Amino acid sequence: MQKDQIRELPAGSEALNERLQWRYATKKFDAAKKVTQDKIERIIEAVRLTPTSSGLQPFELILITNDEIRQRIREVAWGQAQITDCSHLLVFAAWDDITPERVHMMFDLTNEIRGFKNEGWENYRQQLLKIVANRGQEGNYQAAARQAYIALGTALIAAAFEDVDSTPMEGFDPKAVDEILDLGSRNLRSVILLPLGYRAEDGDWLVELKKVRRSRNDLVTEIH
């Protein structure tokens, strides 16, 4: 698009960017403030609607409000207070493998919901089964984990739209969290944590600092 062809952004786009400007990785939550269940459900629904490769949704979402469990997770997450001070803690847990059973589950669900079978779709099922078989368990886990990160991005945006603060956190021991939540028995592995809540009135060193992002020229390459 040429400069003289730039169109005016709709109000929805402006609202989106305003909310992204507002949000930041909250360093101190107000433990006394709780997010209402309707807001949590809308954030979860946004995660559920996240696009994923082949429509597999190769992850699950663990919603934790239990204080004892969150304290145990904090102990294996560098003692970060957001885990216990937030209102709700989300754990994104990826499939430990994309097995034939899981592929069939999602393809069969698609056929059930749509009410018909499509030859091209069924051919793709067989193609995907070969792809995941050749990739191996660890490769499949890594692929699933990347899909979980797409869902994380959706959750961050959804939370911002709900005026809910959030902090994506990779600073934890995944194996320890897996053990605490017994994820191994469900063939899942924890990928990332997302505390949700409300920023504290004071004590957060990051809240007043300017957001730092590379310029558009540094970030974007246009190929015409």
Side-chain angles (χ1 to χ4, degrees), residues 111-171:
N111 291 340
E112 177 185 346
I113 291 177
R114 293 178 176 170
F116 65 89
K117 288 187 177 182
N118 178 277
E119 182 180 356
W121 181 242
E122 291 304 320
N123 289 338
Y124 181 63
R125 183 203 298 245
Q126 298 306 316
Q127 180 182 354
L128 183 59
L129 287 169
K130 293 178 182 178
I131 291 172
V132 298
N134 291 334
R135 195 161 52 196
Q137 180 173 357
E138 182 59 24
N140 285 329
Y141 163 70
Q142 294 297 334
R146 289 192 292 273
Q147 302 305 303
Y149 272 93
I150 297 175
L152 169 70
T154 301
L156 292 170
I157 295 171
F161 259 89
E162 296 291 343
D163 293 319
V164 172
D165 288 300
S166 60
T167 308
M169 302 173 70
E170 291 184 311

Coordinates of all heavy atoms in Angstrom, one line a residue, residues 111-171:
N111 N -15.8 -33.7 12.2 CA -16.8 -34.4 11.4 C -18.2 -34.4 12.1 O -19.2 -34.2 11.5 CB -16.4 -35.8 11.0 CG -15.2 -35.8 10.0 OD1 -15.0 -34.8 9.3 ND2 -14.5 -36.9 10.0
E112 N -18.1 -34.7 13.4 CA -19.3 -34.7 14.2 C -20.1 -33.4 14.2 O -21.3 -33.3 14.0 CB -19.0 -35.2 15.6 CG -20.2 -35.2 16.5 CD -19.8 -35.5 18.0 OE1 -18.7 -36.0 18.2 OE2 -20.7 -35.3 18.9
I113 N -19.3 -32.3 14.5 CA -19.9 -31.0 14.6 C -20.4 -30.5 13.2 O -21.5 -29.9 13.1 CB -18.8 -30.0 15.2 CG1 -18.6 -30.3 16.7 CG2 -19.3 -28.5 15.0 CD1 -17.5 -29.5 17.3
R114 N -19.6 -30.7 12.2 CA -20.0 -30.3 10.8 C -21.1 -31.2 10.2 O -21.8 -30.7 9.3 CB -18.8 -30.1 9.9 CG -17.9 -29.0 10.4 CD -16.6 -28.9 9.6 NE -15.8 -27.7 10.0 CZ -14.6 -27.5 9.6 NH1 -14.0 -28.3 8.7 NH2 -14.0 -26.4 10.1
G115 N -21.2 -32.4 10.7 CA -22.3 -33.2 10.2 C -22.0 -33.9 8.9 O -22.9 -34.4 8.3
F116 N -20.8 -33.9 8.4 CA -20.4 -34.6 7.2 C -18.9 -34.9 7.1 O -18.2 -34.3 7.9 CB -20.9 -33.8 6.0 CG -20.1 -32.5 5.8 CD1 -18.9 -32.4 5.1 CD2 -20.6 -31.3 6.4 CE1 -18.2 -31.2 5.0 CE2 -19.8 -30.1 6.3 CZ -18.7 -30.1 5.5
K117 N -18.6 -35.8 6.2 CA -17.2 -36.1 6.0 C -16.8 -35.6 4.6 O -17.5 -35.7 3.7 CB -16.9 -37.6 6.0 CG -17.0 -38.3 7.4 CD -16.6 -39.7 7.4 CE -16.6 -40.3 8.8 NZ -16.1 -41.7 8.8
N118 N -15.6 -35.0 4.6 CA -15.1 -34.4 3.3 C -13.9 -35.2 2.9 O -13.0 -35.5 3.7 CB -14.7 -33.0 3.6 CG -14.1 -32.3 2.4 OD1 -12.9 -32.4 2.1 ND2 -14.9 -31.6 1.6
E119 N -13.8 -35.6 1.6 CA -12.7 -36.5 1.1 C -11.4 -35.8 1.3 O -10.4 -36.4 1.7 CB -13.0 -36.8 -0.3 CG -11.9 -37.7 -0.9 CD -12.1 -38.1 -2.4 OE1 -13.2 -37.7 -2.9 OE2 -11.3 -38.8 -3.0
G120 N -11.3 -34.5 1.0 CA -10.1 -33.8 1.1 C -9.6 -33.7 2.6 O -8.4 -33.9 2.9
W121 N -10.6 -33.5 3.5 CA -10.3 -33.5 4.9 C -9.8 -34.8 5.4 O -8.8 -34.9 6.2 CB -11.5 -33.1 5.7 CG -11.4 -32.9 7.1 CD1 -12.1 -33.7 8.1 CD2 -10.6 -32.0 7.9 NE1 -11.7 -33.3 9.4 CE2 -10.8 -32.3 9.3 CE3 -9.7 -31.0 7.5 CZ2 -10.2 -31.5 10.2 CZ3 -9.0 -30.3 8.5 CH2 -9.3 -30.5 9.8
E122 N -10.4 -35.9 4.9 CA -9.9 -37.2 5.3 C -8.5 -37.6 4.8 O -7.7 -38.2 5.4 CB -11.0 -38.3 4.9 CG -12.3 -38.2 5.7 CD -12.1 -38.3 7.2 OE1 -11.2 -39.1 7.6 OE2 -12.7 -37.6 7.9
N123 N -8.3 -37.1 3.6 CA -7.0 -37.3 3.0 C -5.9 -36.5 3.8 O -4.8 -37.0 4.0 CB -6.9 -36.8 1.5 CG -7.7 -37.7 0.6 OD1 -7.9 -38.9 0.9 ND2 -8.1 -37.2 -0.6
Y124 N -6.3 -35.3 4.2 CA -5.4 -34.5 5.1 C -5.1 -35.2 6.4 O -4.0 -35.2 6.9 CB -5.9 -33.1 5.3 CG -5.0 -32.3 6.1 CD1 -3.7 -32.0 5.6 CD2 -5.4 -31.8 7.3 CE1 -2.8 -31.2 6.4 CE2 -4.5 -31.0 8.1 CZ -3.2 -30.7 7.6 OH -2.4 -30.0 8.4
R125 N -6.1 -35.9 6.9 CA -6.0 -36.6 8.2 C -4.8 -37.6 8.0 O -3.9 -37.7 8.9 CB -7.2 -37.4 8.6 CG -7.2 -38.1 9.9 CD -8.2 -39.2 10.0 NE -9.6 -38.8 9.9 CZ -10.4 -38.9 11.0 NH1 -10.1 -39.4 12.1 NH2 -11.7 -38.5 10.8
Q126 N -4.8 -38.4 7.0 CA -3.8 -39.4 6.7 C -2.4 -38.8 6.5 O -1.4 -39.3 7.0 CB -4.2 -40.3 5.5 CG -5.5 -41.0 5.7 CD -5.5 -41.9 7.0 OE1 -4.5 -42.6 7.3 NE2 -6.6 -41.9 7.7
Q127 N -2.4 -37.6 5.8 CA -1.2 -36.9 5.6 C -0.6 -36.4 6.9 O 0.6 -36.6 7.2 CB -1.4 -35.7 4.7 CG -0.1 -34.9 4.4 CD -0.4 -33.7 3.5 OE1 -1.5 -33.5 3.0 NE2 0.6 -32.9 3.3
L128 N -1.4 -35.9 7.8 CA -1.0 -35.4 9.1 C -0.5 -36.5 10.0 O 0.5 -36.3 10.7 CB -2.1 -34.6 9.8 CG -1.8 -34.0 11.1 CD1 -0.7 -33.0 11.0 CD2 -3.0 -33.3 11.7
L129 N -1.2 -37.6 9.9 CA -0.7 -38.8 10.7 C 0.7 -39.2 10.3 O 1.5 -39.6 11.2 CB -1.6 -40.0 10.5 CG -3.0 -39.9 11.2 CD1 -4.0 -40.9 10.7 CD2 -2.9 -39.9 12.7
K130 N 1.1 -39.1 9.1 CA 2.4 -39.4 8.6 C 3.4 -38.4 9.1 O 4.5 -38.7 9.5 CB 2.4 -39.5 7.1 CG 1.7 -40.7 6.6 CD 1.7 -40.7 5.0 CE 0.9 -41.9 4.5 NZ 0.9 -41.8 3.0
I131 N 3.0 -37.1 9.1 CA 3.9 -36.0 9.5 C 4.2 -36.1 11.0 O 5.4 -36.1 11.3 CB 3.2 -34.6 9.3 CG1 3.1 -34.4 7.7 CG2 3.9 -33.5 10.0 CD1 2.3 -33.1 7.4
V132 N 3.2 -36.4 11.8 CA 3.5 -36.4 13.3 C 4.3 -37.7 13.6 O 5.1 -37.7 14.5 CB 2.2 -36.3 14.1 CG1 1.5 -35.0 13.9 CG2 1.2 -37.5 13.8
A133 N 4.1 -38.8 12.9 CA 4.8 -40.0 13.1 C 6.3 -39.8 12.8 O 7.2 -40.3 13.5 CB 4.3 -41.2 12.3
N134 N 6.6 -39.1 11.7 CA 8.0 -38.8 11.3 C 8.7 -37.8 12.2 O 9.9 -37.9 12.4 CB 8.0 -38.3 9.9 CG 7.6 -39.4 8.9 OD1 7.8 -40.6 9.1 ND2 7.1 -39.0 7.7
R135 N 7.9 -37.0 12.8 CA 8.5 -35.9 13.6 C 8.9 -36.4 15.0 O 9.9 -35.9 15.6 CB 7.4 -34.8 13.8 CG 8.0 -33.5 14.3 CD 7.1 -32.3 14.0 NE 5.7 -32.5 14.5 CZ 4.7 -31.8 14.1 NH1 4.9 -30.8 13.2 NH2 3.5 -32.1 14.5
G136 N 8.3 -37.4 15.5 CA 8.7 -38.0 16.8 C 8.1 -37.3 18.0 O 7.6 -36.1 17.9
Q137 N 8.2 -37.9 19.2 CA 7.5 -37.3 20.4 C 8.0 -35.9 20.7 O 7.2 -35.0 21.0 CB 7.6 -38.3 21.5 CG 6.9 -37.7 22.8 CD 6.9 -38.7 23.9 OE1 7.4 -39.9 23.8 NE2 6.4 -38.3 25.1
E138 N 9.3 -35.8 20.8 CA 9.8 -34.4 21.3 C 9.5 -33.4 20.2 O 9.1 -32.2 20.6 CB 11.3 -34.5 21.5 CG 11.9 -33.2 22.0 CD 11.3 -32.7 23.3 OE1 10.8 -33.5 24.1 OE2 11.4 -31.5 23.6
G139 N 9.6 -33.7 19.0 CA 9.3 -32.7 17.9 C 7.8 -32.4 18.0 O 7.4 -31.2 17.8
N140 N 7.0 -33.4 18.3 CA 5.5 -33.1 18.4 C 5.2 -32.2 19.6 O 4.3 -31.4 19.6 CB 4.7 -34.4 18.5 CG 4.6 -35.1 17.1 OD1 4.6 -34.4 16.1 ND2 4.6 -36.4 17.1
Y141 N 5.9 -32.5 20.7 CA 5.7 -31.6 21.9 C 6.1 -30.2 21.6 O 5.4 -29.3 22.0 CB 6.5 -32.1 23.1 CG 6.7 -31.1 24.1 CD1 5.6 -30.7 24.9 CD2 7.9 -30.4 24.3 CE1 5.7 -29.7 25.8 CE2 8.0 -29.4 25.2 CZ 6.9 -29.0 26.0 OH 7.0 -28.0 26.9
Q142 N 7.2 -30.0 20.9 CA 7.7 -28.6 20.6 C 6.7 -28.0 19.7 O 6.4 -26.8 19.9 CB 9.1 -28.7 19.9 CG 10.2 -29.2 20.8 CD 10.4 -28.2 22.0 OE1 10.1 -27.0 22.0 NE2 11.0 -28.8 23.1
A143 N 6.1 -28.7 18.8 CA 5.1 -28.1 17.9 C 3.8 -27.8 18.7 O 3.2 -26.7 18.5 CB 4.7 -29.1 16.8
A144 N 3.5 -28.6 19.6 CA 2.3 -28.3 20.5 C 2.5 -27.1 21.4 O 1.7 -26.3 21.6 CB 2.0 -29.5 21.3
A145 N 3.8 -27.0 21.9 CA 4.1 -25.9 22.8 C 4.0 -24.6 22.0 O 3.6 -23.5 22.5 CB 5.5 -26.0 23.3
R146 N 4.4 -24.6 20.7 CA 4.3 -23.3 19.9 C 2.8 -22.9 19.7 O 2.5 -21.7 19.7 CB 5.0 -23.5 18.6 CG 6.5 -23.6 18.7 CD 7.2 -23.5 17.3 NE 6.9 -24.6 16.5 CZ 7.7 -25.7 16.5 NH1 8.7 -25.8 17.3 NH2 7.4 -26.7 15.7
Q147 N 2.0 -23.9 19.6 CA 0.5 -23.6 19.5 C 0.0 -23.0 20.8 O -0.8 -22.1 20.9 CB -0.3 -24.8 19.2 CG 0.2 -25.5 17.9 CD 0.2 -24.5 16.7 OE1 -0.9 -23.9 16.4 NE2 1.3 -24.4 16.0
A148 N 0.5 -23.5 22.0 CA 0.1 -22.9 23.3 C 0.5 -21.5 23.4 O -0.2 -20.7 24.0 CB 0.8 -23.8 24.4
Y149 N 1.7 -21.1 22.8 CA 2.1 -19.7 22.8 C 1.2 -18.8 22.0 O 1.0 -17.6 22.3 CB 3.5 -19.6 22.3 CG 4.5 -19.7 23.4 CD1 5.1 -21.0 23.7 CD2 4.9 -18.6 24.2 CE1 6.0 -21.1 24.7 CE2 5.8 -18.8 25.2 CZ 6.4 -20.0 25.5 OH 7.3 -20.2 26.5
I150 N 0.6 -19.4 20.9 CA -0.4 -18.6 20.1 C -1.6 -18.3 21.1 O -2.1 -17.2 21.1 CB -0.9 -19.4 18.9 CG1 0.3 -19.6 17.9 CG2 -2.0 -18.6 18.2 CD1 0.0 -20.4 16.7
A151 N -2.0 -19.3 21.8 CA -3.1 -19.1 22.7 C -2.8 -18.1 23.8 O -3.6 -17.4 24.3 CB -3.5 -20.5 23.3
L152 N -1.5 -18.2 24.3 CA -1.1 -17.2 25.3 C -1.3 -15.7 24.7 O -1.8 -14.9 25.4 CB 0.4 -17.4 25.6 CG 1.0 -16.3 26.4 CD1 0.5 -16.2 27.9 CD2 2.5 -16.4 26.4
G153 N -0.9 -15.5 23.5 CA -1.1 -14.2 22.9 C -2.5 -13.8 22.9 O -2.9 -12.6 23.2
T154 N -3.4 -14.7 22.6 CA -4.8 -14.4 22.6 C -5.3 -14.0 24.0 O -6.1 -13.1 24.2 CB -5.6 -15.6 22.1 OG1 -5.2 -16.0 20.8 CG2 -7.1 -15.3 22.1
A155 N -4.8 -14.8 25.0 CA -5.2 -14.5 26.4 C -4.7 -13.1 26.8 O -5.5 -12.4 27.5 CB -4.6 -15.6 27.3
L156 N -3.5 -12.7 26.4 CA -3.0 -11.4 26.8 C -3.9 -10.3 26.3 O -4.2 -9.3 27.0 CB -1.6 -11.3 26.3 CG -0.5 -12.2 27.0 CD1 0.8 -12.0 26.2 CD2 -0.3 -11.8 28.4
I157 N -4.3 -10.5 25.0 CA -5.1 -9.4 24.4 C -6.5 -9.4 25.0 O -7.1 -8.4 25.3 CB -5.2 -9.7 22.9 CG1 -3.8 -9.5 22.2 CG2 -6.2 -8.7 22.2 CD1 -3.7 -9.9 20.8
A158 N -7.1 -10.6 25.2 CA -8.4 -10.7 25.8 C -8.4 -10.1 27.2 O -9.3 -9.4 27.6 CB -8.8 -12.2 25.9
A159 N -7.4 -10.4 28.0 CA -7.3 -9.8 29.3 C -7.2 -8.3 29.3 O -7.9 -7.6 30.1 CB -6.1 -10.4 30.1
A160 N -6.5 -7.8 28.4 CA -6.3 -6.3 28.2 C -7.7 -5.7 27.9 O -8.1 -4.6 28.4 CB -5.3 -6.0 27.2
F161 N -8.5 -6.3 27.0 CA -9.8 -5.8 26.7 C -10.7 -5.9 27.9 O -11.7 -5.1 28.0 CB -10.4 -6.7 25.5 CG -10.3 -6.0 24.2 CD1 -9.2 -6.1 23.4 CD2 -11.3 -5.1 23.8 CE1 -9.0 -5.5 22.2 CE2 -11.2 -4.5 22.6 CZ -10.0 -4.6 21.8
E162 N -10.5 -6.8 28.8 CA -11.3 -6.9 30.0 C -10.8 -6.0 31.2 O -11.3 -6.1 32.3 CB -11.4 -8.3 30.5 CG -12.0 -9.3 29.5 CD -13.5 -9.1 29.4 OE1 -14.1 -8.4 30.3 OE2 -14.1 -9.6 28.4
D163 N -9.7 -5.2 30.9 CA -9.1 -4.3 31.9 C -8.5 -5.2 33.0 O -8.5 -4.8 34.2 CB -10.1 -3.3 32.5 CG -10.5 -2.3 31.5 OD1 -9.6 -1.8 30.7 OD2 -11.7 -1.9 31.4
V164 N -8.0 -6.4 32.6 CA -7.4 -7.3 33.6 C -5.9 -7.3 33.3 O -5.5 -7.4 32.2 CB -8.0 -8.7 33.5 CG1 -7.2 -9.7 34.3 CG2 -9.5 -8.7 33.9
D165 N -5.1 -7.2 34.4 CA -3.7 -7.2 34.2 C -3.2 -8.7 34.1 O -3.8 -9.6 34.6 CB -3.0 -6.5 35.4 CG -3.2 -5.0 35.3 OD1 -2.7 -4.4 34.4 OD2 -3.8 -4.4 36.3
S166 N -2.0 -8.8 33.5 CA -1.5 -10.2 33.3 C 0.0 -10.1 33.2 O 0.6 -9.1 33.0 CB -2.0 -10.8 32.0 OG -1.7 -10.0 30.9
T167 N 0.6 -11.3 33.5 CA 2.1 -11.4 33.4 C 2.5 -12.7 32.9 O 2.4 -13.8 33.6 CB 2.7 -11.2 34.8 OG1 2.3 -10.1 35.4 CG2 4.3 -11.2 34.7
P168 N 2.9 -12.8 31.6 CA 3.4 -14.1 31.1 C 4.7 -14.5 31.7 O 5.6 -13.7 31.8 CB 3.5 -13.9 29.6 CG 3.7 -12.4 29.4 CD 2.9 -11.8 30.6
M169 N 4.8 -15.7 32.2 CA 6.0 -16.1 33.0 C 6.6 -17.4 32.5 O 5.9 -18.5 32.5 CB 5.6 -16.2 34.5 CG 5.0 -14.9 35.0 SD 4.4 -15.1 36.7 CE 6.0 -15.3 37.6
E170 N 7.8 -17.4 32.1 CA 8.6 -18.6 31.7 C 9.5 -19.0 32.9 O 10.1 -20.1 32.8 CB 9.4 -18.4 30.5 CG 8.5 -18.3 29.2 CD 9.4 -18.2 28.0 OE1 10.3 -17.3 28.0 OE2 9.1 -18.9 27.0
G171 N 9.6 -18.1 33.9 CA 10.6 -18.4 34.9 C 10.1 -19.4 36.0 O 9.7 -19.0 37.1

